[in-house]
Structures are given as C-alpha cells and as structure tokens.
Amino acid sequence: MTIYRATVLDTPENPFTGGVLRAEEDAGILVERGVIRDRGGFAELRAQHPDEDVIDVRGGVLLPGLVDTHVHYPQVRTIGALGMPLLDWLAHSALPEEARLADRTYAEELAKEFVGGLVAAGTTTALVFGAHFPAAVDALFTEATRVGLRITSGLVVSDRVLRPELLTTPARAYDEGRALADRWHGVGRTRYAVTPRFSLSSSDALLESCAALAKDVEGAWFTSHLNENLVEIAQVAAQFGASVDYLDTYDRHGLVGSRSVFAHNVHVTPRELALLAAQESGVAHCPTSNCALGSGLFALRGHVEHGVRVALGSDVGAGTGLSLLKEGLQAYFIQQLLGPAGWPLSSAHLLHLATRAGAEVLGMAGETGELSPGASFDAVWVRPAAGTTFDTVLRHADSPEDALAKVFALGTVSDTAGVWVSGTRILGGEGRRPATATTGRPSVPG
Ligand SMILES: [Zn+2]
C-alpha cells in the first residue's frame, strides 16, 4: 500500500444542495491496488501504517481527476478558430478536419495528441465525441487504453446536411457501431456511446438505428448535441416540424434516459428541463465554446431548479482548450454576467462541476470524481512553479475555498505536476517534475 501526503480538496457533498468543500491541509490517502482504502490526517494515518511507502505531493493542491463530459477528439488541431457562429464554424473549421480522419494514420496522430492533451490537463475521465470513421474511433480507444484513461466514446453518425464523406446510412451506422462496441464496450476502462452528431444531421431512420444499437449493447451510453444555437434550433424545427421541441427529436426514439448526456442546452424550454430531470439525463455545460461561438449564456439556474444533472465539458475544438479549470472559470463568468438570473458559483461549485458532477452524469459516482475510501485513486496534482504569480497568490490565500478560487482563476495545464488513474501515475515523475515535493511551507493554509 501507498500513502499519499498532500493538501486535498474535493466535493463529495453537492454544493448546489448544501454541501461544502472538503479540505485537509496535511492529509493522508491510503491506496491499495489503485483503490483508496482510508483517508485522514497524515500523522494519524502514518501512525496506523508505519511501514507503508509515502509519496509526498505537498505544495499546491491534490484534486480528484477531472471529468470532461463533452469533448471532440478529431478537433484537437482546430482549437482557436475564432469569429464564427456554430454552423459556419462547423462548415469551415471543424468538418473539413473531421473528414481527414478517414486516413487511419492521420487519426492515430490525432489520438496521441488528444489523449496526451487530456492527461496534461488533469482529465482522467471523459465522454468523447469520436470520429465519423470506425478505424479512427478504434485508434482513439487504442490510445486511451495504452495511456490508461477512462473513456466513453463511439462512432459519430449522420445521414444528411453534412459534407458527403461524413455521411452514412442507418444500417451501416448500426453495423459499424456494433462492431466497435463488441470490441471495446466494457473492456478495461472504455465504454461505448451511441453518438449521432445532432438531430439536424440525422433522419428519423438514423435515430431509430441509434436507438436499436443503444438497446442491443447492454449498458451503452448515448450522447449528442442539444439546443446550442438559435439558428440551429430553428433548422431542427424546420426539419422535424415546429410542433416538436429539440429534445423531442431524440425522445421520440427513446434516446432520453439516465445514460444520455446532451451537450450545451443553452436555449432550453421548461418542458425540456422537466423531461431531462424526470429521465435523469445529463447536460454537459461547455462555457468557453458557448462564448467563443456566441451561442448564448447557459441557464444554469433553470437546470438546478428543475433538478437536471449538469457537469462541465471543454467542447474542444469550439472550446478554447482542454483545461477544465478554464471551463470552471468561464462558467463562473457566465453566471456573473447573467446577474440575478444567474447562479452565483463558489469555488466549491466549480470543483464539483469539474469532478463529482461529471462522475454522476457518467454513472461513475463513488468510483471517481472524489478522493474518498472506496473510490479509485484518480487524482491531479496542481502545483504552480515557484516564483509565478499563481504561486504567490496561492501562498497568500486565506482559506481553502479562497485557495481553490485561485486555482480556477490562475491554474493552467502547465501547472499539472502529476496525474494518477487507479493509482498509476500517468503524468509527472521522471522526465517531468519531481515525484516528491520539497518540504517547507505548504502552499495552502488550512
Ligand atoms: Zn460538441
């Protein structure tokens, strides 16, 4: 067994329903074969287990591994294409790049860049929009497995509207998805997600084939886009009929359930919120994407008050990077800009949205997203380099909540000093930053 010694912050209790930040300045976490067995003050834990190895990761903070509930693997090279609304951005930036994944070698390069980027950002679990080509999705699962991330993903399917090389048929969508799911679903840390791009690019026949696949693959997940942009929403209404709302286009095929995660949901009706809550579906809120594409300001208050599950997504490449710290800060900004209509977010809310809420949305509560006994040791060590503004500010924080706010305000991917999944270190150590921090004054006061 191993004892990790760190300043630990996590949010096992939901701050949206009265929970508070759990903070321990000098904590010990006892890990056996990747699973947290015990946790408490370091001195007490050490006294109980005097012979176990100690890994000292003091300095900065240790957080649960971050959970990204919406991110596009084929778009990693398109980050930063600013200045376009959704449908123009898809046509001119995202989809031309997605077409290049027809080449497996190209896809393998992207898979390495993408998975490496997630790890560097401290993301240990993700629901990933795959590619339109089965071999490219296979490349993603292969790379994620090699590195050790928890990935839920699948073949993206569409049969209209998009450029021709990205289109499929309902029968082919089922067959190719089934073959991928047979190979990867439930294998190691990977799971399959049935993934129509959005109903705008999906006929009813295609959505019906998605429903059949979701039914036939036991425990499969479902993900798609919903209510992102007003022009998109108007076009969906034109395609499916003005009497239905956007969520209906999925619901009439039985695709709105507790293993369904919908990205965006910026412009949502009360009826849709009620249905999402009743079905226990998840919503991936993607703040930098919503701002970059000018999609709108997310109605978090309506989701919370209806009891809809919400977590964070980076939505790369429309999102401006893979860091969920940045997404948390942008989520905070959006709620501030909404004034009384917004939901005032504390740093504990932001951490919850980036960790435990994501685990809940992905059906992994208790397994990841918190550093509690029984959970896997999935963790990210955020430690600013000495002498940086972030380091200075963190050292002068006056409470753990304040320190966590500093982490969201100033933390970047370059501050990721270590990442673990199931107790295996997948970033840091040799060749990067030292595995053990120097002793001395901790960065965060208790
Ligand atoms: Zn997206």
Side-chain angles (χ1 to χ4, degrees):
M1 292 193 285
T2 303
I3 299 173
Y4 293 85
R5 182 178 190 180
T7 296
V8 179
L9 305 177
D10 66 353
T11 51
E13 306 288 331
N14 187 349
F16 289 96
T17 53
V20 296
L21 179 67
R22 179 167 64 173
E24 281 181 277
E25 184 192 339
D26 191 7
I29 297 178
L30 182 70
V31 177
E32 182 183 33
R33 288 193 288 275
V35 176
I36 299 171
R37 292 293 173 211
D38 201 359
R39 135 175 204 168
F42 174 77
E44 288 162 53
L45 202 70
R46 183 61 173 155
Q48 290 164 24
H49 302 278
D51 300 325
E52 306 299 343
D53 290 340
V54 173
I55 295 181
D56 190 338
V57 289
R58 285 177 295 168
V61 297
L62 190 73
L63 307 175
L66 303 175
V67 181
D68 190 336
T69 59
H70 184 69
V71 57
H72 295 252
Y73 127 69
Q75 297 175 11
V76 68
R77 292 184 183 179
T78 70
I79 295 169
L82 302 179
M84 291 174 273
L86 173 66
L87 299 178
D88 292 345
W89 173 82
L90 277 172
H92 298 297
S93 179
L95 298 182
E97 175 73 353
E98 297 220 8
R100 295 187 187 105
L101 278 83
D103 176 351
R104 167 123 195 179
T105 304
Y106 189 84
E108 286 172 353
E109 284 174 24
L110 254 60
K112 283 195 166 51
E113 293 164 2
F114 174 75
V115 170
L118 287 181
V119 174
T123 297
T124 54
T125 299
L127 175 58
V128 179
F129 243 72
H132 287 268
F133 307 98
V137 178
D138 191 69
L140 171 67
F141 279 130
T142 300
E143 179 63 9
T145 298
R146 187 187 71 77
V147 171
L149 289 187
R150 301 184 193 282
I151 293 289
T152 305
S153 189
L155 181 71
V156 181
V157 296
S158 288
D159 66 347
R160 64 184 183 189
V161 174
L162 308 185
R163 48 197 293 146
E165 63 268 48
L166 298 180
L167 301 181
T168 186
T169 64
R172 202 175 109 210
Y174 180 95
D175 291 344
E176 292 178 346
R178 185 64 195 256
L180 281 164
D182 287 347
R183 177 152 187 213
W184 290 106
H185 183 59
V187 176
R189 297 175 188 148
T190 64
R191 304 183 302 184
Y192 195 78
V194 178
T195 313
R197 184 160 206 110
F198 53 172
S199 51
L200 182 61
S201 65
S202 308
S203 68
D204 274 307
L206 184 77
L207 292 171
E208 197 52 44
S209 92
C210 288
L213 182 59
K215 182 164 164 284
D216 292 348
V217 177
E218 194 182 338
W221 285 72
F222 175 81
T223 192
S224 196
H225 294 97
L226 178 67
N227 288 324
E228 181 173 2
N229 165 291
L230 291 171
V231 175
E232 169 215 18
I233 293 167
Q235 291 190 10
V236 168
Q239 294 257 28
F240 287 88
S243 61
V244 297
D245 57 36
Y246 202 147
L247 190 59
D248 278 328
T249 64
Y250 300 114
D251 185 45
R252 62 198 199 180
H253 297 287
L255 293 168
V256 181
S258 61
R259 289 197 305 275
S260 302
V261 181
F262 296 97
H264 302 301
N265 210 28
V266 175
H267 308 282
V268 60
T269 65
R271 200 204 72 83
E272 289 172 305
L273 286 172
L275 180 59
L276 289 166
Q279 296 297 103
E280 300 182 342
S281 300
V283 168
H285 171 34
C286 307
T288 71
S289 168
N290 293 166
C291 293
L293 298 177
S295 299
L297 302 179
F298 180 69
L300 179 60
R301 177 173 290 281
H303 286 75
V304 172
E305 290 178 350
H306 278 83
V308 179
R309 296 173 170 179
V310 177
L312 284 179
S314 66
D315 196 27
V316 155
T320 60
L322 291 163
S323 171
L324 288 181
L325 300 179
K326 191 202 283 201
E327 295 302 326
L329 182 65
Q330 194 72 24
Y332 166 82
F333 289 156
I334 289 173
Q335 297 310 308
Q336 288 293 106
L337 289 171
L338 282 167
W343 186 285
L345 292 171
S346 68
S347 60
H349 287 110
L350 302 186
L351 183 61
H352 189 264
L353 287 168
T355 56
R356 164 84 196 197
E360 288 174 8
V361 159
L362 296 180
M364 300 168 87
E367 184 182 350
T368 191
E370 64 190 281
L371 294 167
S372 299
S376 290
F377 186 69
D378 296 356
V380 52
W381 180 23
V382 179
R383 187 188 62 172
T388 59
T389 302
F390 182 19
D391 183 47
T392 303
V393 168
L394 196 57
R395 285 175 187 279
H396 290 86
D398 56 19
S399 67
E401 291 79 8
D402 189 39
L404 184 60
K406 313 309 193 200
V407 169
F408 278 98
L410 287 162
T412 68
V413 294
S414 61
D415 302 304
T416 306
V419 178
W420 294 260
V421 180
S422 284
T424 298
R425 190 164 189 169
I426 60 172
L427 185 143
E430 282 122 29
R432 305 272 309 204
R433 297 180 183 212
T436 52
T438 52
T439 53
R441 188 184 164 196
S443 285
V444 180

